[in-house]
């Protein structure tokens, strides 16, 4: 028997729960057809849901559609409960998106469509309320295809023989031309790959079009295949009527049996719910959704067993509220009760603000606030009030920095250096490592990574959560005897704060995407309002005497705009807002001026480090830490080269004009004869003196630069050379060598270009000198990568080595080898910049000598 899990999604009031009721009724899962307005719908089990007529909590029900067992999940439609809906998406095999035939695609519908794409969930579309006189089938279908996808296909009549159906994918087109129609199996595969979206029209209230939807769902769905090993994804935490904690999960691999251990906790009951009732089972197999009792340490979004595919939520609360409780209620008791609710909805973000001594909570809007207030009173018997909603800001950085943290009180030791880079909007906090295990053991690196993600790190502008940042472990050091786990937590936290203090920080605020519908003669006023709110919009579209504006604006400016729209349009205007995500704050200076946060007074999040001297730990200010850390990190444009703390830098030299031989490349390291000393001014930490910022500098001797170029990788990564290689690979190779000759002359450094020759039988390594550039052809069974890696390892501790290659790692340090990689695109930019500088120098030279540039020298590009 085929087993499918599907969820029903919709903009609020589109008829989602009514359709759920109709599907359950038509399949015989329920005997009586309930109604939302009659407060007897099967899946509206909560008193507040029945009272308000909206879905607040996701519910599930079982039904049988032919030979297909379907578990149906009804999700909230109101935007204030989007986090509950989004968590459910991660366990769906298919989704049914309900659209109102009267209203068409609305603002939240578009948000749902984006989420379905994000979580790669195939979708069926049911256009509801087609029994209403205002519902225009052709108009709403065109609206769906324009705003959602042109691959939305009406499953009616001979649609399998329709060219539009075949046009959804190349495979269908080929089958259509060969057979004159497409098969059911091929269509099912196209739906599963999200290449086609079946559309149905009807009325859930009158149970019209429901049979067609159910039949198609049976015929055009494909059961997923799962691995044999146990895996599960937790998507919700609830409590039953007796207070028992329920962990709702989908089994995504193997089998889970009652009384088995998950981690160190024993599974008690396995419950499969249908509405308010449930049945217990002894075992659950892959594909099933169930509620498990006995687990107290699980959380929503957790991966169990071999499951690895969960994503973080993209919809976040935009408002933050202060919790006001009765003086009779102990604050610790209130906080513990609210933590219980946070288990069920992690997006509440319950926090204790130590500066103002207040519990704070984040919410989507006023409807969620009212529901939460009633829930707290019903479950805990506490009457809580909430302060006025404020914007939940976040922070990020605008430039790349290295953050260093050192923690060394007596008999403790840990040091961490983090490469901190700005991330794209909405990326959250991403973690990576470029630290060699020769420098820091893998277990310590894993511990650092755990500390990076175990909590939200506060920013330094106003203490808001840090986001949209990439944190890469660049270096670290542990002590064999004195390092403990907690030491790396301290060093990691301090490294983040120290990096933030050095970085250019930005304040982020939530932004709405909006759809504003106003009478045509009032569109000018609406446009002026949006501009005044620092919003942007597209040109208005006129429909039936109404002008429709779509755009984006800060939540802080638009959150109360609905009442103004109602006022100046006398109730004829309509505003739909959806939180799009976070972007740069439109009035950062104004917001920060009203903030009382001082990062230097935040004793819970220090940016300073702790060093040890004469058997005692002492504090070192954040702006002096870079001079005292025990590990070295070098990234061009981010850090300066520094001497090791326990060694005296030596003067190394370059030999750009010497000739290399095979022996030079076969020994343990290159031997360079001294002929010049390179000196470079080192960037030193800032010293703050009153209102003036002074930067101290000191001169030091640094290593000469050595560039290794992976020849063929660069050729096939640069478009001009790649095109030339298709015609003549030898010409492309010569062109790259000529480019490197120009580059070497400008940089005055050593340049070695390495070409693969490992497939040539009996081939020996060849080293050829082309003027000022050395070219190496590898020997049999030796790739360019292997040669470069070996050479880097041998010389990295003596020379400043850079490796130009086609991988997309960007400028990443290979700390263990004392070298770093530069990607092909970045290397190309550097070469082009060098050519531009050469051209400018030649133009200046020619101007002074009274000659035209074109008559002197041609610069190779």
């Amino acid at each position: 028997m085929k087993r499918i899990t599907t969820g029903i999604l919709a903009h609020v009031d589109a008829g989602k729960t009514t359709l759920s009721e109709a599907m359950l009724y038509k399949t015989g899962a329920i005997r009586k057809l309930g109604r939302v307005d009659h407060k007897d719908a099967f899946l509206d089990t909560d008193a507040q849901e029945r009272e308000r007529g909206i879905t607040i909590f996701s519910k599930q029900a079982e039904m049988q559609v032919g030979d297909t067992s379907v578990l149906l999940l009804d999700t909230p439609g109101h935007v204030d409960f989007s986090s509950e809906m989004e968590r459910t998406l991660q366990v769906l095999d298919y989704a049914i998106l309900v659209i109102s035939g009267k209203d068409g695609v609305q603002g939240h519908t578009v948000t749902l469509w984006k989420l379905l794409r994000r979580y790669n969930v195939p979708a069926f579309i049911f256009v509801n309320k087609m029994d209403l006189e205002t519902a225009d089938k052709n108009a709403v279908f065109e609206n769906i295809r324009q705003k959602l996808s042109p691959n939305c296909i009406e499953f009616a009549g001979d649609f399998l023989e329709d060219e539009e159906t075949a046009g959804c994918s190349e495979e269908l087109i080929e089958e259509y031309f060969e057979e004159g129609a497409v098969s059911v199996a091929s269509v099912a595969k196209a739906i599963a790959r999200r290449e086609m979206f079946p559309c149905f029209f009807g009325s859930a209230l009158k149970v019209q079009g429901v049979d067609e939807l159910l039949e198609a769902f049976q015929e055009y769905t494909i059961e997923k295949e799962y691995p044999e090993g146990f895996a599960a994804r937790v998507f919700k935490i609830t409590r039953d009527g007796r207070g028992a904690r329920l962990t709702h999960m989908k089994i995504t691999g193997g089998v889970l049996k009652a009384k088995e251990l998950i981690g160190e906790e024993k599974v008690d009951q396995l419950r499969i719910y249908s509405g308010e009732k449930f049945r217990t089972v002894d075992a659950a197999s892959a594909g099933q959704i169930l509620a498990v009792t006995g687990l107290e340490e699980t959380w929503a979004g957790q991966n169990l067993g071999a499951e690895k595919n969960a994503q973080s939520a993209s919809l976040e609360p935009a408002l933050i509220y202060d919790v006001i409780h009765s003086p009779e209620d102990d604050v610790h008791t209130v906080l513990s009760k609210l933590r219980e609710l946070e288990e069920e909805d992690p997006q509440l973000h319950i926090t204790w603000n130590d500066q103002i001594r207040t519990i704070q909570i984040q919410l989507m809007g006023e409807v969620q606030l009212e529901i939460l207030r009633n829930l707290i009173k019903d479950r805990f018997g506490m009457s809580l009030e909430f302060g006025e909603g404020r914007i939940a800001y976040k922070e990020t950085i605008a430039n790349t920095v290295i953050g260093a943290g050192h923690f060394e009180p007596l008999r403790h030791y840990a040091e961490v250096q983090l490469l901190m880079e700005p991330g794209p909007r909405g990326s959250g906090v991403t973690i990576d490592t470029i630290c060699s295990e020769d420098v820091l053991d893998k277990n310590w690196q894993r511990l650092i990574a755990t500390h990076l993600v175990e909590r939200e790190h506060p920013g330094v502008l106003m203490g808001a959560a840090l986001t949209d940042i990439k944190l890469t472990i660049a270096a670290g050091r542990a002590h064999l005897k004195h390092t403990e786990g907690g030491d790396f937590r301290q060093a990691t936290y301090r490294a983040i704060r120290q990096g933030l203090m050095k970085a250019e920080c930005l304040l982020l605020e939530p932004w709405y995407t909006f759809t504003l519908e106003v009478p045509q003669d009032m569109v000018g006023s609406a446009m002026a309002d949006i501009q005044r709110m620092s919003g942007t919009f597209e040109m208005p579209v006129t429909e039936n005497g109404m002008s429709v504006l779509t755009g984006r604006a800060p939540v802080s400016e638009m959150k109360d705009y609905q009442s103004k729209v109602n006022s100046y349009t006398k109730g004829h205007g309509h505003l739909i807002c959806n939180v799009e995500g976070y972007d740069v704050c439109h009035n950062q200076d104004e917001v920060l001026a009203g903030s009382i946060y001082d990062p230097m007074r935040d004793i819970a999040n220090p940016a300073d480090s702790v060093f040890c001297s004469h058997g005692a730990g002492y504090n070192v200010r954040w702006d002096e830490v870079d001079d005292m850390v025990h590990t070295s990190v070098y990234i061009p444009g981010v850090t300066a080269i520094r001497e090791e703390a326990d060694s005296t830098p030596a003067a190394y030299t370059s030999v750009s004009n010497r000739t290399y031989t095979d022996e030079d490349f076969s020994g343990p390291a290159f031997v360079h004869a001294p002929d010049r000393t390179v000196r470079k001014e080192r960037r030193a930490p800032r010293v703050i003196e009153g209102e003036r910022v002074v930067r101290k500098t000191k001169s030091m001797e640094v290593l000469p630069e050595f560039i290794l170029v992976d020849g063929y990788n660069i050729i096939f990564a640069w478009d001009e050379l790649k095109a030339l290689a298709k015609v003549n690979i030898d010409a492309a190779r010569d062109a790259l060598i000529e480019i490197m000759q120009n580059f070497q002359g400008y940089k005055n450094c050593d340049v070695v270009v390495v070409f693969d020759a490992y497939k040539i039988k009996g081939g020996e390594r060849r080293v050829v000198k082309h003027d000022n550039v050395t070219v190496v052809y590898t020997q049999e069974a030796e790739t360019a990568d292997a040669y470069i890696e070996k050479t880097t390892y041998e010389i990295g501790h003596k020379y400043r080595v850079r490796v130009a290659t086609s991988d997309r790692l960007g400028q990443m340090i290979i700390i263990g080898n004392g070298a770093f990689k530069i990607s092909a695109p970045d290397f190309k930019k550097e070469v082009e910049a060098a050519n531009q500088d050469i051209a400018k120098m030649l133009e200046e030279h020619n101007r002074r000598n009274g000659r035209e540039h074109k008559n002197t020298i041609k610069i190779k590009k």
Side-chain angles (χ1 to χ4, degrees), residues 1-6 23-24 26-29 61-72 93-94 96 124 184 188 213-224 279 287-288:
M1 179 180 293
K2 183 168 64 175
R3 181 184 290 127
I4 298 293
T5 298
T6 186
M23 293 173 69
L24 293 171
K26 292 296 289 184
T27 57
E62 294 179 290
M63 62 183 184
Q64 194 72 26
V65 184
D67 62 351
T68 302
S69 174
V70 178
L71 186 68
L72 182 68
D93 300 324
Y94 289 84
I96 299 173
F124 287 66
V184 170
L213 173 64
L214 291 171
E215 290 171 5
F217 206 80
Q218 176 189 358
E219 196 166 10
Y220 294 101
T221 53
I222 301 174
E223 185 175 16
K224 284 188 175 180
R279 59 186 174 88
Q288 286 189 285

Side-chain angles (χ1 to χ4, degrees), residues 516-518 523 538-544 546-550:
L516 175 60
E517 186 177 353
V518 297
V523 68
E538 299 179 3
M539 290 301 295
V541 177
T542 301
E543 299 175 357
N544 301 322
M546 301 290 286
S547 291
V548 179
L549 287 167
T550 58

Side-chain angles (χ1 to χ4, degrees), residues 6 51 74 145 209 246 250 292 305 401 418 467 471 480 502 506 562 575 629 732 807 815 822 845 851:
T6 186
E51 182 64 30
D74 187 17
R145 300 193 70 180
L246 303 177
K250 180 177 183 179
V292 177
V401 296
L418 301 174
T467 190
L471 302 175
L480 290 175
K502 294 194 295 184
L506 291 176
Q562 178 66 68
L575 175 66
V629 290
D807 64 37
I815 299 172
I822 180 171
H845 175 78
R851 296 194 300 270

Side-chain angles (χ1 to χ4, degrees), residues 589-819:
D589 293 341
E590 180 183 341
V591 173
L592 294 181
S595 172
I596 64 172
Y597 183 76
D598 182 355
M600 297 304 294
R601 294 180 181 272
D602 189 351
I603 59 176
N605 299 285
D608 301 340
S609 284
V610 179
F611 286 80
C612 187
S613 179
H614 302 294
Y618 66 98
N619 193 70
V620 175
R621 273 181 57 98
W622 65 269
D623 52 355
E624 298 173 357
V625 171
D626 288 347
D627 259 355
M628 301 188 63
V629 290
H630 298 169
T631 53
S632 293
V633 173
Y634 173 61
I635 298 178
V638 181
T639 61
I641 301 176
R642 64 183 297 273
E643 67 269 31
E644 292 291 342
D646 56 355
S647 64
T648 302
Y652 289 94
T653 59
S654 176
V655 288
S656 299
N657 297 320
R658 65 167 290 186
T659 301
Y660 291 91
T661 66
D662 288 323
E663 287 73 18
D664 289 316
F665 291 86
S666 59
F670 294 119
V671 180
H672 281 189
D675 62 312
R676 75 172 185 271
T677 299
V678 181
R679 298 180 67 87
K680 183 174 181 179
E681 189 174 65
R682 172 189 177 188
R683 180 181 179 185
R686 296 186 301 171
V687 178
I688 302 178
E689 301 177 354
E691 297 296 324
R692 188 167 62 93
V693 178
V694 182
R695 185 173 298 280
K696 295 181 178 179
T697 60
K698 66 178 182 179
S699 181
M700 65 169 288
E701 296 172 335
V702 299
L703 306 179
E705 186 175 25
F706 199 102
I707 299 178
L708 286 163
V709 180
D710 192 335
Y712 288 128
N713 275 342
I714 295 296
I715 286 175
F716 290 103
W718 291 3
D719 291 339
E720 301 89 344
L721 295 179
K722 183 178 180 180
L724 183 57
K726 291 181 179 179
V727 179
N728 189 317
I729 188 64
D730 292 333
R733 192 165 52 230
D734 291 340
L736 175 60
I737 293 171
E738 290 179 0
I739 292 172
M740 290 299 99
Q741 288 173 337
N742 266 353
F743 183 68
Q744 190 283 331
Y746 173 79
K747 295 284 289 185
N748 198 21
C749 63
D750 298 317
V751 176
V752 177
V753 185
V754 184
F755 290 107
D756 285 305
Y758 67 97
K759 291 185 178 180
I760 300 177
K761 291 185 177 181
E764 297 181 353
R765 184 187 299 146
R766 291 188 300 121
V767 180
V768 181
K769 187 69 178 179
H770 289 264
D771 295 328
N772 54 344
V773 171
T774 301
V775 178
V776 176
Y777 298 90
T778 63
Q779 61 190 2
E780 181 185 4
E782 180 185 47
T783 65
D785 286 340
Y787 174 83
I788 290 173
E789 182 179 357
K790 175 185 175 183
T791 304
T792 301
Y793 182 82
E794 291 173 346
I795 70 172
H797 63 289
K798 292 184 178 180
Y799 306 100
R800 184 159 57 94
V801 182
R802 292 202 296 158
V803 178
T805 181
S806 64
D807 64 37
R808 302 294 299 179
L809 295 174
Q811 291 188 352
M812 296 176 61
I813 301 172
I814 311 170
I815 299 172
N817 298 350

